[in-house]
Amino acid sequence: MEFVKLGSVCKLRNGYAFKSKNFTESGVPIIRISNISDNVVTPQNSVRTIYEKQFDNFKINNGDILIAMSGATTGKYGIYKSEEIAYQNQRVGCFKILDRNRLDQDYLFHVLNTIKPIIKTIANGGAQTNISSTSIEGIEIFLPSLSDQTQIAKILTQADKLIQMRKESIKLLDEFLKSTFLEMFGDPLKNEKKWKYLTGEKYLSKLTVGVVTKPASHYVEEGVIALRSLNVKPNRIDLSNLVYFSKIANETLLSKSILNEGDVVFVRTGMTGTAAIIPKELDGCNCIDLIIARPKEDLINSKYLVFFFNSDIGKRIVLSNEVGGIQKHFNVNALKKINIPIPPIQLQNLFATIVEKVESLKNSYESSLLELENMYGALSQKAFKGEINLNKINLELSKTELKTPVGGSLEPHIETENIPVFPEKVKHIKDMSLDEYYGIPKEIIAKYGSIDDHNQDQELLLKKIFYNRPVDLSRLEEIYNKIYSHHGKYFEFEDWKKFIFEEISKPKPFLKQKYNSETNQLEIVINEIKKA
């Protein structure tokens, strides 16, 4: 069992201190710490500079592993995923393997997850959070044979992909509820559905503020939960970092701010206007410096209220009604006077039912995510201590969660029958050529050639294959390779996934998320048959 200093198998190259005067509108992207996110590095939203030979020693290529070496996020790392050459900025480190027969690149990537806590500890040792390349190179790592490194990296990569898929599923749940809200109630500012408007003093039976004066004097080790602004997240209560009031103080001195199940609490200071509902298990708890709103059940549903104020439009309304100087507040008087659209209560209740079902699914997938993250942690700890039995680990990775993105089985599901064949006669969108789909005149085709010869159009291809069924990436991969592989084009899962996610977030997408009440799952389906 061999343990070596990281610096004996790879070096950590420091970046260049680019000045703001070097920045240009176009040119070579400069990768800064802010470009490292969720273990991925891209040139998206990066600053740029003109190419100069003097910067050649700081080039970043596709597949390079980068790490943040200062600031609050010291130790975060990611793989550069772009064919575009970039430059490495100061305080961004770039790992350069000395001998690829000794150290596998993917193995190094997963090693960084294990040593990240060590990096944070070293970095926090000084007055300012930062770490040197020498310090990182001095950290010891487990170095098995190259073949074992490859196998360990493969196992951990599969486990990490399962985690990312689960995170994407949870993200899609949130997006689904946002789109469902807009679909059911329309744009609150335009109010195309002509709902009536009411102010808070009309649709609320109680509107007050929680404890605001010297609450620390009432704190006890155990007692009645007292929620603070840090416990209020969009549409949910976070039960970490709790404080408590004594039962006696809660019932006497602080009784005015006791919360009931179904009450809505709003953040007054900080993330102003952020709203959440008090669940059944918190009935009778208290709160500190939060707005307490009790909806009139015959007029407004709590879930409608919180989703409205947590929406982008709701946030803008809150910002426009803040008061105060440097420290802005959202106060009771503002909520009392703000007019919001009030749809029929039956429609609000229907939305609340959908929210409950989706939140139930979300809870189960968050539990699943925690299990997956624990599994990854256990596997990586064992792997980097040389304690893992590589012959007994077999993780199957499914690419089908975009068919049932709120979950579904993690087992592969690939249909092999009825792969569509596209005849020459045009009778349906599934039979259209790209020229026909975009209405290219025949005389233009005759003069300049067919665009079919040069393009594979993602929108049309999805409509051809999935015009009457949910989008399933595993099925798309099989069909795509059947159609295009002889042209030297192969299916890129990440590119297609990104395309689909971006499309469903557009104001008028050709793909949409649909809740299937029979299967209790979300599905991604085609939103139209023909292009408008």
Side-chain angles (χ1 to χ4, degrees), residues 297-433:
E297 293 183 357
D298 59 332
L299 286 178
I300 193 164
N301 188 291
S302 297
K303 287 185 170 60
Y304 171 81
L305 182 62
V306 298
F307 267 85
F308 176 86
F309 275 97
N310 288 327
S311 70
D312 292 338
I313 292 169
K315 290 174 184 175
R316 291 202 297 271
I317 291 172
V318 168
L319 286 174
S320 66
N321 284 274
E322 287 181 332
V323 294
I326 297 175
Q327 186 81 327
K328 298 290 185 182
H329 298 276
F330 179 57
N331 62 29
V332 167
N333 286 332
L335 186 57
K336 187 183 294 185
K337 300 299 182 184
I338 291 172
N339 261 313
I340 69 170
I342 308 292
I345 191 63
Q346 296 85 352
L347 191 62
Q348 295 182 50
N349 292 341
L350 176 60
F351 174 71
T353 300
I354 294 172
V355 171
E356 287 171 6
K357 290 183 177 181
V358 172
E359 285 180 341
S360 175
L361 288 170
K362 185 175 178 180
N363 288 337
S364 67
Y365 291 120
E366 285 176 339
S367 296
S368 170
L369 174 61
L370 181 61
E371 290 176 5
L372 288 170
E373 289 175 334
N374 289 339
M375 176 191 69
Y376 179 91
L379 285 173
S380 59
Q381 288 295 327
K382 286 180 176 293
F384 299 125
K385 289 180 180 179
E387 298 172 354
I388 194 169
N389 187 338
L390 298 175
N391 297 321
K392 290 186 178 181
I393 302 296
N394 182 24
L395 296 176
E396 289 297 325
L397 177 63
S398 166
K399 294 179 180 178
T400 64
E401 281 208 355
L402 284 179
K403 179 180 179 183
T404 53
V406 298
S409 172
L410 285 177
E411 296 300 318
H413 172 76
I414 303 175
E415 298 179 21
T416 56
E417 298 178 358
N418 302 320
I419 292 179
V421 177
F422 309 138
E424 293 183 3
K425 290 186 179 181
V426 177
K427 295 181 180 179
H428 191 277
I429 192 168
K430 71 184 180 67
D431 305 320
M432 285 185 181
S433 68

Side-chain angles (χ1 to χ4, degrees), residues 206-219:
K206 178 179 180 178
L207 184 56
T208 186
V209 65
V211 182
V212 292
T213 57
K214 300 181 180 179
S217 61
H218 301 293
Y219 289 173

